[in-house]
Amino acid sequence: MPKIRKKHPKSSIEEALVYAESKGWRVEDGCRGHPWGRMYCPYNDRECRCGEYCITSIWGSPRSPENHAKKIKRVVDNCEPHNKQDDDNEYE
């Protein structure tokens, strides 16, 4: 049974995390140290920007929650395998 994560305290970031999960990304809360959690790309392989965006930290109280939420969405949208797969499915 999959672990149910806690909601992020900032609504704009929670919205971005739900968006990431809808694209297949795995979001885990409860990290050690400063991050609130991390999100992991389901395509963690060489085609995925050589691992640059395969793991992304999610901050609990960033200076600008709205900018952090935009960054999260940008990471998801710029993931090459996701974009290619979405384009392939669009014409089927």
Side-chain angles (χ1 to χ4, degrees), residues 10-13 16 62-72:
K10 306 292 184 186
S11 61
S12 57
I13 295 175
R63 183 173 291 173
S64 172
E66 292 77 21
N67 286 345
H68 190 52
K70 287 178 188 176
K71 179 186 174 223
I72 290 169

Side-chain angles (χ1 to χ4, degrees), residues 4-19 21 27-31 34-39 56-69 72:
I4 298 176
R5 69 171 177 85
K6 296 182 293 186
K7 280 190 164 190
H8 195 280
K10 306 292 184 186
S11 61
S12 57
I13 295 175
E14 177 61 25
E15 182 181 306
L17 296 177
V18 169
Y19 174 76
E21 289 172 327
V27 177
E28 293 183 1
D29 61 348
C31 287
H34 294 288
W36 173 88
R38 290 200 170 91
M39 64 182 206
T56 301
S57 292
I58 303 159
W59 303 108
S61 54
R63 183 173 291 173
S64 172
E66 292 77 21
N67 286 345
H68 190 52
I72 290 169

Side-chain angles (χ1 to χ4, degrees), residues 68-86:
H68 190 52
K70 287 178 188 176
K71 179 186 174 223
I72 290 169
K73 288 181 180 179
R74 193 168 42 248
V75 166
V76 172
D77 290 341
N78 288 336
C79 182
E80 296 298 326
H82 286 289
N83 291 337
K84 183 178 182 231
Q85 187 139 23
D86 289 346

